[in-house]
Amino acid sequence: ASADSGKAEAAPAPKPKRGGNTPNTDAIPDDNAPIEYSDANPKKGGSSSFDRYEAYKKGRTIKEAMELGAAKGDIQYDWKRGYFKRK
């Protein structure tokens, strides 16, 4: 007897990116919506983006993160890669 039951296997879940973060496919939260950044910095050490992340990861909203030095491109990049999430 074969171990194959004839049922199709479910597609695997998306693999988490660097730091164990799951990519986001939904819309970026509003500027004042509560968010939480990953404490582990996923950016390349010694880069300006690494330094910015260290400063803005303390933000609890997108507005706060931008006040702490995040650029709009940082927000889009980080959201797409799952570096922060809705709280």
Side-chain angles (χ1 to χ4, degrees), residues 5-83:
S5 65
K7 294 181 183 176
E9 291 184 33
K15 292 184 180 179
K17 298 292 183 189
R18 205 177 323 163
N21 301 304
T22 303
N24 289 307
T25 56
D26 50 343
I28 295 173
D30 293 333
D31 285 355
N32 292 310
I35 61 168
E36 183 174 55
Y37 271 91
S38 171
D39 195 45
N41 191 329
K43 311 290 180 145
K44 184 178 178 182
S47 68
S48 59
S49 61
F50 182 95
D51 294 339
R52 284 194 312 275
Y53 189 92
E54 282 301 303
Y56 69 72
K57 72 181 182 182
K58 298 171 186 81
R60 295 296 169 233
T61 65
I62 289 176
K63 183 179 178 183
E64 281 183 16
M66 292 186 75
E67 288 170 356
L68 292 168
K72 192 68 170 173
D74 292 326
I75 301 297
Q76 294 166 343
Y77 184 93
D78 293 352
W79 177 251
K80 187 182 289 186
R81 284 156 183 80
Y83 298 162

